[in-house]
Amino acid sequence: MLRLAHSSRGKKLAFLSSSSSSSSTAAFAAMSHMGSRFFPKPATASVPHFPPLPSQFFSNINLCRAGKRLLPVLCSKPISRNHSRSLYINGHATLPVSPPGNISVGGGWKSDALRKQLAECGIEMDNLAPGQYNGLWCPKCQGGDSGEKSFSILIEADGTRASWICHRAKCGWTGGTKHATSSTSKNPVQQRTRQKKAREITEESLQLEPLCSELVGYFKERDISRETLLRNRVMQKAHGNQIVIAFTYGRNGMLVSCKYRDINKKFWQEKDTEKIFYGLDDIKGSDDIIIVEGEMDKLAMEEAGFRNCVSVPDGAPPLVSSKDLPPESQDTKYQYLWNCKEYLKQASRIILATDGDPPGQALAEELARRLGRERCWRVKWPRKNADSYCKDANEVLMYLGPQALKDAIDDAELYPIKGLFLFRDFFDEIDSYYHQTQGYQFGVSTGWKSLDGLYSVLPGELTIVSGVPNSGKSEWIDALLCNLNRSADWKFALCSMENNVRDHARKLMEKYVRKPFFDAPYGESAERIDVMEYERGKQWLNDTFHLIRCEDDALPSIRWVLSLAKAAVLRYGVRGLVIDPYNELDHQRPPNMTETEYVSQMLTLVKRFAQHHSCHVWFVAHPRQLHNWIGGPPNMYDISGSAHFINKCDNGIIIHRNRNPDAGDIDQVQICVRKVRNKVVGTIGDAYLSYNRVTGEFRDTEVDHRRR
């Protein structure tokens, strides 16, 4: 009797297949010459029958993703790709494929129109029989690594239309000709399956046999013991000219379905049987449940001490579906979940231990969508070596041992829920903040020493700037932007609707070059910007500022402004946005919405933009008409529209200019910091700057700021 040699952990025996190593090929050759052309069925005397087990030890079986690791099947020669047999689709056998030939129904079902439509999809119809399901290699995936005929196409009996589906989980291509995509024939294979009653099966009716010693040895090479195989009723079956492994699926001790695997890594299930979890009885009454992606992973979990584990029957999808969850009756891909819902509903914790590849992660997400993310946990598989991670539970068992597999399950993490976080999810960011490695922990200097103690610019915040008309709000913001560009090389998006482009360019260039733009009375005796400085100023304007402006007479909405600002952030890397002023925006709102509610929602949008894009936003808002005004600075609550301007902003600043020569210098500007949410970057108080009318610059004065 041939024995399978055991290798050291981490270097397991190569899979027994027609494409395996030379030693494996030799092993199969030896098996095939043991007195029969095919591998003989084990004799009763040499291989004991498994005694019937009580229902509490019976393990259900029905899954594995198409394309999982090869299980050994004993066969004297490769199976011909053209072998005549029924096509198994998602566990259901279709009608036998008719022999090739030119079949004609109704005097010409092979119309040129149908032929052309199929040819455009890469489907040749010369050998397709009408009125039944035809099994082919999928034109899209070519049957994957195993080359299985997973593609089923139905030509209607009258030859007028066709529809098809590929049942490989990693492909799943569906389609049809123009007249075959109606609601009544969208998925004919699945509709036909759902209409059939689940058939009753037994081990005797399926002619299942105990595993031979060679297959037991193969499982041992994967660290699966004989005891685990016995408890889970893993068996074998003669299938054509080969012996295939049979994973039995059961419920309450009764056989429900059976899944097979052959030498070519092809999987199929008994037709017209119910889809359930593999190992279903093992989770009955369990509070904690582990779900894996394949039968081998279920067996591996048992070796690590976890019997409360089941495996999905149909493998993993290639991607997470972008569609809403279908109703239970239409959720055909995950029907096993609904068939087993009585076993799942009592579980308070469900550990999703699917494969670590993208399809495995997509499966975890699809399961979490249906089971409820709030009770799901996920497993991260450990490293296999310095270059890669283990893919699944059985690989962890083989390379790292049962304790490593147990540790991986014990270390399962809460499944992420969108919008719900733990502080540890942000520890990297908090660490950078503490060690001051991220930058801007204390904000960026305004460029004025008298103001820096009160206000500094922090990315991701919203500053509301207000003041009575002609106080210099826009001029002060322009000067601040120039300082930020000099010190931190920031770039900005400007939505300044009160300035035309040429005047705004003049104001900014004067602050940059520090000379007047014109020889005019306001320039006094200062020298005008020369041509070289003008060209340099134009380049600076173009590199530093990006304009958001309506090209017609329409008023911009806040959503429109923010959408363009987002584009400026992503395309040009801007760090600041100026919206000047609020009353120049389009403020249409539903009839049942008050202005206060509108302002609240608008400022929420602005703040989310600032935080998400790490962009500081300056929003200019004028005060309402002030009655009995005596010349002092207004209050933030005087802003027209809503108190939400001060309630929702991070920083609130009033710009106030002295208009009374008897009270002091009329060029003195009072910067009133009325709100600072983050104490790290400032505090409430007043600072005083001197305004230079020639260049539009603001400079520190000798007046100290007074903190309140």
Side-chain angles (χ1 to χ4, degrees):
M1 178 64 66
L2 179 66
R3 297 186 180 272
L4 303 182
H6 293 259
S7 60
S8 60
R9 184 174 304 282
K11 297 181 179 179
K12 298 298 178 182
L13 184 67
F15 293 126
L16 302 181
S17 70
S18 58
S19 59
S20 58
S21 65
S22 58
S23 61
S24 299
T25 304
F28 274 112
M31 292 180 191
S32 64
H33 290 83
M34 293 172 59
S36 174
R37 181 176 145 192
F38 306 119
F39 185 78
K41 301 178 183 178
T44 305
S46 60
V47 181
H49 275 285
F50 298 163
L53 296 175
S55 61
Q56 60 268 31
F57 293 102
F58 188 86
S59 178
N60 314 330
I61 306 178
N62 187 357
L63 9 150
C64 200
R65 170 163 99 237
K68 284 189 70 70
R69 298 178 300 277
L70 179 64
L71 297 180
V73 191
L74 309 178
C75 164
S76 64
K77 61 182 181 180
I79 299 175
S80 170
R81 293 170 67 94
N82 298 318
H83 184 70
S84 177
R85 62 182 182 270
S86 297
L87 175 67
Y88 284 87
I89 299 172
N90 265 12
H92 305 281
T94 66
L95 298 174
V97 179
S98 299
N102 293 323
I103 301 176
S104 179
V105 176
W109 69 275
K110 295 181 180 179
S111 66
D112 292 338
L114 183 60
R115 181 188 298 275
K116 182 178 180 181
Q117 290 183 60
L118 293 176
E120 290 175 353
C121 298
I123 302 172
E124 296 293 336
M125 60 181 288
D126 288 338
N127 296 326
L128 301 183
Q132 65 182 46
Y133 296 101
N134 297 265
L136 307 171
W137 286 288
C138 177
K140 293 288 186 182
C141 67
Q142 299 299 320
D145 296 336
S146 61
E148 60 181 308
K149 289 186 176 181
S150 58
F151 187 73
S152 177
I153 181 169
L154 172 67
I155 303 292
E156 294 294 331
D158 58 3
T160 59
R161 56 189 183 184
S163 56
W164 59 84
I165 181 172
C166 177
H167 291 284
R168 286 191 70 246
K170 292 187 178 181
C171 179
W173 180 38
T174 61
T177 56
K178 290 182 179 180
H179 301 291
T181 57
S182 64
S183 60
T184 59
S185 60
K186 182 179 293 186
N187 199 333
V189 177
Q190 292 181 351
Q191 285 184 356
R192 176 175 177 266
T193 300
R194 288 198 300 268
Q195 293 173 357
K196 288 197 173 184
K197 181 180 178 181
R199 100 180 203 267
E200 296 181 359
I201 57 175
T202 63
E203 292 181 9
E204 291 73 18
S205 66
L206 299 181
Q207 298 181 337
L208 301 183
E209 303 168 343
L211 288 174
C212 63
S213 58
E214 283 76 11
L215 288 181
V216 172
Y218 168 77
F219 279 104
K220 188 174 182 179
E221 283 297 316
R222 303 191 69 84
D223 288 344
I224 306 298
S225 67
R226 182 183 185 90
E227 291 72 20
T228 298
L229 297 173
L230 282 168
R231 201 190 73 83
N232 289 276
R233 305 293 282 185
V234 181
M235 307 184 79
Q236 69 182 39
K237 179 179 180 176
H239 179 73
N241 58 355
Q242 60 179 326
I243 301 295
V244 298
I245 292 177
F247 295 100
T248 56
Y249 283 68
R251 183 197 288 125
N252 297 324
M254 301 297 294
L255 188 61
V256 173
S257 184
C258 192
K259 185 174 181 180
Y260 306 101
R261 180 173 181 168
D262 71 5
I263 193 172
N264 295 315
K265 297 200 316 185
K266 179 183 176 182
F267 298 85
W268 70 94
Q269 298 177 31
E270 284 293 332
K271 64 179 180 178
D272 302 332
T273 55
E274 184 181 4
K275 289 291 184 69
I276 60 172
F277 280 114
Y278 177 62
L280 183 60
D281 284 341
D282 287 340
I283 64 169
K284 189 172 184 179
S286 297
D287 291 330
D288 289 357
I289 293 175
I290 303 171
I291 300 179
V292 293
E293 195 174 323
E295 291 87 357
M296 290 295 292
D297 298 325
K298 151 68 176 168
L299 301 177
M301 284 292 181
E302 187 161 325
E303 295 296 335
F306 298 103
R307 287 192 178 181
N308 56 328
C309 177
V310 292
S311 174
V312 300
D314 289 336
L319 297 170
V320 178
S321 174
S322 59
K323 300 178 181 178
D324 294 335
L325 287 180
E328 176 181 342
S329 60
Q330 300 177 20
D331 198 11
T332 54
K333 171 65 178 174
Y334 302 93
Q335 197 62 45
Y336 56 87
L337 288 173
W338 306 109
N339 294 339
C340 304
K341 61 183 178 182
E342 294 300 322
Y343 289 75
L344 299 170
K345 67 180 183 180
Q346 84 284 353
S348 58
R349 188 169 79 132
I350 300 175
I351 300 175
L352 304 178
T354 55
D355 288 5
D357 56 9
Q361 297 307 299
L363 173 61
E365 176 62 19
E366 291 290 359
L367 293 175
R369 292 173 69 192
R370 291 161 172 82
L371 298 172
R373 292 180 176 86
E374 66 280 357
R375 59 174 180 157
C376 288
W377 298 58
R378 66 177 179 181
V379 172
K380 291 186 177 179
W381 300 118
R383 281 188 176 275
K384 179 168 59 176
N385 49 47
D387 300 324
S388 61
Y389 287 85
C390 291
K391 178 175 175 287
D392 53 31
N394 189 234
E395 199 165 272
V396 175
L397 179 67
M398 291 174 61
Y399 283 86
L400 305 177
Q403 185 59 46
L405 180 54
K406 184 178 184 301
D407 292 341
I409 299 302
D410 291 341
D411 294 338
E413 301 176 350
L414 289 166
Y415 198 86
I417 299 176
K418 186 175 182 180
L420 182 62
F421 303 96
L422 297 172
F423 263 108
R424 70 181 180 188
D425 298 327
F426 301 92
F427 277 171
D428 289 342
E429 181 180 344
I430 297 172
D431 289 344
S432 298
Y433 188 46
Y434 174 78
H435 295 292
Q436 302 181 32
T437 58
Q438 193 175 25
Y440 307 131
Q441 285 82 12
F442 303 103
V444 183
S445 170
T446 63
W448 300 295
K449 293 181 180 179
S450 60
L451 183 58
D452 281 343
L454 303 176
Y455 171 73
S456 56
V457 181
L458 192 66
E461 290 193 343
L462 167 64
T463 296
I464 299 294
V465 180
S466 188
V468 297
N470 204 30
S471 294
K473 300 181 292 297
S474 300
E475 286 277 12
W476 177 79
I477 290 177
D478 286 348
L480 175 61
L481 303 187
C482 293
N483 291 347
L484 293 173
N485 176 257
R486 286 193 185 99
S487 63
D489 197 30
W490 277 24
K491 296 178 174 60
F492 309 93
L494 304 178
C495 182
S496 184
M497 292 155 284
E498 287 187 332
N499 285 311
N500 61 50
V501 174
R502 65 179 188 179
D503 283 341
H504 204 177
R506 172 183 59 78
K507 295 176 185 179
L508 291 168
M509 197 179 296
E510 286 177 340
K511 293 175 177 61
Y512 173 70
V513 182
R514 297 175 176 172
K515 290 182 179 180
F517 195 81
F518 293 119
D519 283 329
Y522 79 89
E524 299 175 354
S525 59
E527 181 182 355
R528 177 191 183 188
I529 296 174
D530 62 31
V531 174
M532 293 292 292
E533 292 168 333
Y534 170 68
E535 293 299 329
R536 179 165 55 90
K538 286 199 304 181
Q539 186 63 46
W540 172 77
L541 286 174
N542 194 64
D543 294 341
T544 306
F545 302 99
H546 304 275
L547 306 179
I548 298 176
R549 305 183 69 85
C550 283
E551 298 180 352
D552 50 29
D553 57 355
L555 292 176
S557 68
I558 189 65
R559 292 184 181 274
W560 181 81
V561 172
L562 294 179
S563 66
L564 292 178
K566 176 182 176 181
V569 169
L570 299 178
R571 177 172 290 187
Y572 303 113
V574 304
R575 302 302 301 271
L577 166 66
V578 176
I579 304 175
D580 181 13
Y582 162 75
N583 60 352
E584 291 288 341
L585 294 172
D586 181 7
H587 299 303
Q588 294 185 24
R589 61 181 188 271
N592 59 346
M593 179 183 290
T594 66
E595 185 176 12
T596 299
E597 294 171 335
Y598 168 77
V599 171
S600 175
Q601 292 185 13
M602 177 195 68
L603 293 177
T604 297
L605 289 175
V606 176
K607 288 193 66 175
R608 286 180 179 173
F609 166 82
Q611 294 170 358
H612 183 73
H613 296 287
S614 191
C615 178
H616 196 102
V617 179
W618 293 270
F619 202 147
V620 178
H622 296 308
R624 64 178 182 271
Q625 185 176 356
L626 300 177
H627 299 285
N628 302 319
W629 182 55
I630 59 175
N635 193 286
M636 291 292 292
Y637 286 103
D638 293 326
I639 296 177
S640 177
S642 172
H644 283 305
F645 280 106
I646 187 171
N647 295 338
K648 289 210 165 189
C649 69
D650 297 296
N651 309 286
I653 294 177
I654 299 292
I655 306 297
H656 185 66
R657 184 169 62 85
N658 178 36
R659 289 172 170 76
N660 185 1
D662 297 333
D665 188 354
I666 60 173
D667 289 332
Q668 179 177 285
V669 178
Q670 183 179 356
I671 312 298
C672 308
V673 181
R674 292 294 178 259
K675 179 181 180 181
V676 177
R677 189 185 302 276
N678 187 351
K679 66 180 181 181
V680 174
V681 299
T683 187
I684 294 174
D686 296 345
Y688 294 87
L689 302 176
S690 176
Y691 176 63
N692 184 339
R693 295 187 69 254
V694 175
T695 62
E697 294 177 278
F698 289 78
R699 297 172 181 168
D700 285 305
T701 66
E702 297 180 357
V703 179
D704 292 332
H705 63 266
R706 301 186 300 276
R707 296 194 179 188
R708 295 188 174 184

